[in-house]
Amino acid sequence: MNIRKDISADRAVGQEALAPLYTRVNAAGIVRAVSPSVVRQLGISAVDLIGAPLRVMQVCDQPQVLTDVITEALAAGEPAVAYQKIRMAEGRDVWMVVFHLPTEDGLLQLRIPALAETFSGVPELYAKLNADTGSRASQLQVLQRGFAAYGGYSVHAIGQELPARADALGKPRNQRAHVMHRVSDALDNALKEKIELMRSFNALQLIPNNMRIVASRLEPAGGPISAIAENYKASSAAISQRLASFISAPDSLCEQLRAQIMRMLIQMAARRLLLDVRSTNFTPVAGQEAESPALDQRWQEECTMMIATADRIGRESRSAMAGAEEFAARFGRASADIRRHMLGLDTIRVLGRVECSRLHESEGLSATIDQLDAFHSEIRTRLEAIIRYAEVVSEAMGEIPGTDQRTATRPRNMAFHAVRT
C-alpha cells in the first residue's frame, strides 16, 4: 500500500495513519515495548506483540545488501534509515521510513509512512536487488540510487519525507529539514567529487612513465626531461599519499566528516519523532479493556524512558554537529593544502613545457605535456568544488541553533543482531 496516494486523495486518512510507530527491541530481536499507534495500526494487541520476535511486524522481502548495511551501521553504534514494509491490520502491507537507533541493550525503531517522491521506484529497486546475483559492490551501487554512499541517499530521503509528513498533517515545515536537505546534498556532491578526484590523480601517475619513454628517444640518459619526469613522479607520489589519508583511507578526514554528518542528521530527525511519540495517549482497544490499566501504566513508564532517550539523542546530535563543523573546516583546509601542493606540480609541468619547446622532433613530449595540462585543470576544478561544498556544509550547519560542545558516548552494542532476527 502507498499511503501517499491515499492522503493526496482523501485527507480523512488523518493523524493516526501518520503517527510515528515506536518499537523497542532487545539484542535478541524480541519486542519489549510498542507505542499505542503500533497496536491500533497493526491490529495486534500489546500483550501479543510484547515478547514476540520483531519479524511479526515486518514483511521479509528486504534485499540482503540493505540488511547488511543496516547491520554494519548498528554494529558500529551508528543509526540507520531505510524504506521497509510493515504488515498492518487485515494483511495490508504499508511502506514506511524506518529509523534504526542503537541502544545499550538493543535498538529503537521509529516508523513513519513513506510520502515523498524519493520513495518512487523503491519497490521495483528492492525486487531487482532480490533477483540480482551480482557482487555486493554492484548491488550496493544500485542501492545508493546515484548517491556517493547509501547514507547520503537515506538522509536525502529523510530531508524530503519530514516536510512531506508536515504537509500531510497540515503543519508548518520545520526549517531543520530544509537545512538537512542542503547539508546532505552538499556532502554527497563533495563525496562524488572526491571519487572523481582520486580517479584523475591515479591516472595522472602514469604520465611520468610516458615522459621517461619519450625522453629516452630525445636525449641521453639523465637529461633534463628525464630529471623533470623523475621530479614530477616523486612530487605526485607525495601528493597521492597525502590525498589518500585525506580522502580514501577508512579513517580519512572525508570519511569522518561523512559519518559525523550522517549521525547528526538522522539523530535530529529521530529526536523530533520521539517527542511526537511521547505525546501519544494510550487508549483501550476493543476486547482488551481488562488489560488496559496495566498496559497504560507500562506505557507511562516507557514514556519516562523515552524522555531520557530523547535527551541523550539530543546531546549526541549536538556533539555530532560540533564534530561535523570541525571536520568540515578541516576538510576545506586539507583541500586547500592539496591545491597548494598542486602548484609545485604545475611548476614542474611548466619546466617540461619549456624543454619541449627547446627540442626538435618533440611531438610525443608535447602530447604528454598536453595530457598533464588537462589533468591539472581537472584536478584544480574538482578541488575547488570540494572546497565550495565544504563551505556550504559549514554555512548550513551554522543555521541550526543549539550547537553544543558537550560530548556523548555512542552505544556500541549488540543491536545489529536484532535486525537479523
Side-chain angles (χ1 to χ4, degrees):
M1 175 185 178
N2 187 346
I3 201 167
R4 177 178 57 205
K5 295 179 181 177
D6 292 347
I7 290 172
S8 62
D10 183 3
R11 285 283 176 179
V13 168
Q15 293 196 6
E16 178 62 37
L18 298 168
L21 305 183
Y22 168 94
T23 310
R24 180 165 58 84
V25 183
N26 67 14
I30 303 301
V31 176
R32 305 310 303 162
V34 294
S35 62
S37 293
V38 173
V39 174
R40 289 192 289 268
Q41 292 196 41
L42 268 65
I44 305 174
S45 73
V47 172
D48 291 335
L49 281 172
I50 296 171
L54 180 61
R55 63 176 175 269
V56 302
M57 299 174 55
Q58 301 181 151
V59 179
C60 300
D61 61 355
Q62 178 174 285
Q64 184 60 45
V65 65
L66 178 57
T67 300
D68 292 343
V69 167
I70 297 171
T71 299
E72 289 161 9
L74 294 174
E78 301 289 352
V81 176
Y83 284 111
Q84 296 174 314
K85 276 197 290 190
I86 186 171
R87 184 145 293 163
M88 297 296 194
E90 301 174 359
R92 295 179 300 116
D93 292 343
V94 176
W95 283 94
M96 296 280 196
V97 184
V98 184
F99 291 72
H100 303 264
L101 307 172
T103 63
E104 293 295 341
D105 59 350
L107 76 152
L108 301 180
Q109 288 186 333
L110 292 165
R111 295 175 171 86
I112 56 174
L115 305 175
E117 288 303 318
T118 46
F119 172 69
S120 298
V122 168
E124 294 79 7
L125 181 139
Y126 284 12
K128 177 181 177 180
L129 286 170
N130 281 327
D132 188 357
T133 58
S135 67
R136 172 188 159 92
S138 66
Q139 292 183 356
L140 192 57
Q141 191 170 20
V142 172
L143 186 66
Q144 291 167 189
R145 302 194 76 180
F147 285 76
Y150 175 75
Y153 166 67
S154 63
V155 171
H156 174 81
I158 296 171
Q160 291 200 4
E161 290 290 354
L162 293 184
R165 180 172 180 268
D167 292 346
L169 289 169
K171 295 182 178 180
R173 293 187 172 191
N174 192 310
Q175 181 62 22
R176 287 190 174 191
H178 174 67
V179 174
M180 285 173 63
H181 191 77
R182 287 178 54 201
V183 170
S184 64
D185 283 2
L187 178 62
D188 187 72
N189 286 328
L191 293 176
K192 287 178 179 176
E193 292 289 351
K194 172 210 81 167
I195 294 169
E196 294 303 321
L197 177 63
M198 285 302 299
R199 287 175 180 166
S200 297
F201 214 87
N202 289 337
L204 184 66
Q205 306 304 301
L206 300 175
I207 295 183
N209 295 331
N210 296 338
M211 289 179 67
R212 286 202 305 274
I213 292 171
V214 173
S216 67
R217 298 199 303 264
L218 297 176
E219 65 182 11
I225 298 175
S226 298
I228 289 171
E230 288 297 331
N231 288 338
Y232 191 96
K233 181 178 181 180
S235 296
S236 62
I239 296 177
S240 183
Q241 290 179 351
R242 185 181 292 265
L243 199 59
S245 64
F246 160 48
I247 285 179
S248 58
D251 60 346
S252 67
L253 180 58
C254 186
E255 178 58 26
Q256 292 181 70
L257 173 62
R258 185 204 65 77
Q260 290 278 11
I261 288 180
M262 294 299 104
R263 184 184 314 126
M264 175 194 76
L265 296 179
I266 292 174
Q267 288 175 330
M268 282 170 49
R271 183 175 184 275
R272 178 65 264 169
L273 293 176
L274 268 177
L275 295 177
D276 286 352
V277 172
R278 188 190 62 181
S279 64
T280 304
N281 293 321
F282 182 87
T283 55
V285 177
Q288 301 175 23
E289 290 81 2
E291 302 163 350
S292 292
L295 292 174
D296 183 44
Q297 176 63 30
R298 191 166 187 169
W299 176 241
Q300 296 308 317
E301 293 170 358
E302 191 71 22
C303 286
T304 301
M305 293 175 55
M306 210 178 298
I307 294 171
T309 300
D311 288 344
R312 173 179 63 79
I313 290 175
R315 290 193 300 273
E316 289 179 4
S317 65
R318 289 190 292 271
S319 177
M321 186 189 301
E325 288 178 330
E326 178 186 348
F327 281 123
R330 288 173 57 193
F331 189 76
R333 289 195 298 269
S335 298
D337 185 50
I338 296 291
R339 187 172 57 179
R340 283 192 298 271
H341 280 77
M342 284 298 299
L343 293 176
L345 281 186
D346 278 334
T347 301
I348 300 173
R349 177 181 58 84
V350 170
L351 290 174
R353 179 68 73 187
V354 170
E355 284 299 317
C356 179
S357 64
R358 184 181 63 81
L359 294 169
H360 300 292
E361 300 179 358
S362 59
E363 290 184 4
L365 180 60
S366 178
T368 302
I369 300 298
D370 289 343
Q371 284 183 298
L372 286 180
D373 291 345
F375 276 118
H376 280 223
S377 176
E378 182 179 341
I379 288 171
R380 279 196 302 272
T381 299
R382 295 199 183 283
L383 282 169
E384 288 166 2
I386 289 173
I387 293 169
R388 186 168 63 253
Y389 288 129
E391 290 171 350
V392 170
V393 169
S394 295
E395 290 170 4
M397 288 194 298
E399 298 174 14
I400 303 174
T403 302
D404 192 318
Q405 298 298 323
R406 289 176 292 178
T407 59
T409 303
R410 301 192 311 281
R412 296 191 177 274
N413 50 57
M414 299 299 287
F416 56 94
H417 284 310
V419 296
R420 289 196 180 278
T421 304

